Amino acid sequence: MPVYLRRHIMMRGEYARLLLSGQKRATIRLGKVIPKYDEVIIHSWGRPIAKAKITKVTYKKVRELTDEDAKKDGFNSKEELIKELRRVYGDVKPNDLVTIIELEIIQRFDELIPEDPYLGLKPADIGRLALRYLRNDLSNEELKILEELGKGKSIRQVAKELTGSPLNRGRVRSILRRALALLIKKGIIRPKENKSRS
């Protein structure tokens, strides 16, 4: 039975470090995993760490894995990869199906832009992160607006659909800024320090 991958990928700390360093360019998951979107947010250490583009998805049996597949996932050999799959998933058999999801980091969340009003994040990404981490801190109206932004709709479009007029964009922007401020306050997003020259 396939598992559908939505907009978020959870990753253990050691794998996240490898991904951010460029040593890991894929994640291999047991079973048939079908991504629903081509962009995902990677989470580790209890917070989002990066946005990535899914560049390729391959399905193989465990016995068909190669050293090259292992290297994409940050391992030295096929044997090392299979040993780790068994550690994570338990009894992994040669005929079990795995999904190789190749990733390309398109935005690191430890390199956000302090000078930008949204730190360089897209409104859709702020909406998705707020829905994941701030559900108990936001009103129903705020959640609805962030949900619509999370679907990739523009600020103007959301203002028109939910308030009746595109002229109410200020209300939508205000909710975005509040959600972003809460994400920062809770340590979920950590903008780069703005180092001014003396």
Side-chain angles (χ1 to χ4, degrees), residues 70-81:
K71 287 179 179 147
K72 285 179 189 172
D73 200 7
F75 295 95
N76 294 314
S77 67
K78 169 184 171 176
E79 290 74 24
E80 191 179 297
L81 166 64

Side-chain angles (χ1 to χ4, degrees), residues 91-133:
D91 187 25
V92 175
K93 296 177 175 57
N95 281 330
D96 286 346
L97 190 68
V98 292
T99 303
I100 303 167
I101 302 169
E102 294 186 43
L103 302 163
E104 176 189 330
I105 299 281
I106 52 178
Q107 184 177 30
R108 289 178 57 136
F109 290 168
D110 60 350
E111 296 177 349
L112 297 174
I113 307 159
E115 301 80 22
D116 184 277
Y118 301 128
L119 303 179
L121 293 168
K122 291 181 179 175
D125 294 328
I126 296 170
R128 291 170 192 145
L129 292 172
L131 291 170
R132 186 163 188 95
Y133 291 99

Side-chain angles (χ1 to χ4, degrees), residues 7 41 118 121-131 138 141-162 168-180:
R7 296 203 184 266
I41 295 175
Y118 301 128
L121 293 168
K122 291 181 179 175
D125 294 328
I126 296 170
R128 291 170 192 145
L129 292 172
L131 291 170
L138 300 167
E141 178 203 15
E142 290 169 326
L143 288 170
K144 183 64 181 158
I145 284 173
L146 292 164
E147 188 177 301
E148 293 305 306
L149 288 168
K151 292 176 183 175
K153 294 180 181 178
S154 71
I155 291 172
R156 177 186 173 84
Q157 189 177 6
V158 171
K160 184 177 180 189
E161 286 178 12
L162 297 184
N168 292 329
R169 292 187 302 269
R171 176 72 184 133
V172 176
R173 286 191 189 104
S174 163
I175 290 169
L176 265 177
R177 285 191 296 273
R178 175 172 143 65
L180 186 56

Side-chain angles (χ1 to χ4, degrees), residues 15-83:
Y15 303 143
R17 270 188 281 282
L18 290 170
L19 184 74
L20 292 174
S21 75
Q23 291 175 282
K24 178 179 173 71
R25 301 177 324 276
T27 182
I28 298 178
R29 306 287 169 116
L30 187 64
K32 185 168 189 173
V33 179
I34 302 171
K36 293 193 66 126
Y37 305 98
D38 63 349
E39 281 186 9
V40 291
I41 295 175
I42 311 291
H43 300 260
S44 192
W45 306 295
R47 60 188 172 84
I49 60 165
K51 184 162 71 167
K53 182 175 184 60
I54 295 175
T55 58
K56 187 176 180 184
V57 178
T58 309
Y59 302 101
K60 287 186 175 184
K61 295 197 170 171
V62 170
R63 64 181 159 73
E64 298 170 332
L65 288 168
T66 64
D67 285 341
E68 182 57 35
D69 296 326
K71 287 179 179 147
K72 285 179 189 172
D73 200 7
F75 295 95
N76 294 314
S77 67
K78 169 184 171 176
E79 290 74 24
E80 191 179 297
L81 166 64
I82 292 171
K83 183 178 176 186

Side-chain angles (χ1 to χ4, degrees), residues 3-20:
V3 172
Y4 291 94
L5 177 66
R6 296 202 175 275
R7 296 203 184 266
H8 303 275
I9 293 180
M10 306 305 292
M11 202 170 277
R12 295 167 78 143
E14 64 267 28
Y15 303 143
R17 270 188 281 282
L18 290 170
L19 184 74
L20 292 174

